[in-house]
Amino acid sequence: QVQLVESGGGLVQAGGSLRLSCLASGRTFSNYIMGWFRQAPGKEREFVAHIFWSAGSTRYADSVKGRFTISRDIAKNTVYLQMNSLKPEDTAVYYCAARPMLRVTYDDWGQGTQVTVSS
C-alpha cells in the first residue's frame, strides 16, 4: 500500500522560501506521476505541479510557474517542492499525491502540510 508523508510546511513572510518533502513508500514508483496539490480555506483543491518519477519531466500551474520547482530523489524515494518568492495567496494545505501513469486520477494522498505566508 502506498504511503505518502509530507513535511516542511510552516509560517514564512511574503517573499520567503520553503521546501516541502514527500516521502513515498509501499511500492516501486518507476511508472508513477507524483503531484503536489494545495487547498486554501474555502476553496477547492488545485493542482500545483507534477513530475514523472522515472523521466523527471515536470508540469506546473501557471500561478506557480517560475517560483516553484518540483524534483525527486529516487534513492531517497522523496519528492520535493521548492517554493520561492512566496505570496500570501500561496497559503494553503499542501498535499502530495501519486498515480500510475496510465490513470487519470490520483489514488494515493498524503495527510497534508500547512503553509502560511504572512504579508
Side-chain angles (χ1 to χ4, degrees), residues 84-105:
N84 299 329
S85 302
L86 283 161
K87 305 174 182 179
E89 51 263 44
D90 294 319
T91 295
V93 178
Y94 283 70
Y95 297 92
C96 178
R99 66 173 171 93
M101 284 193 294
L102 296 181
R103 288 187 63 86
V104 176
T105 58

Side-chain angles (χ1 to χ4, degrees), residues 14 23 33 57 62 96 100:
L23 177 62
I33 298 172
S57 52
D62 288 342
C96 178

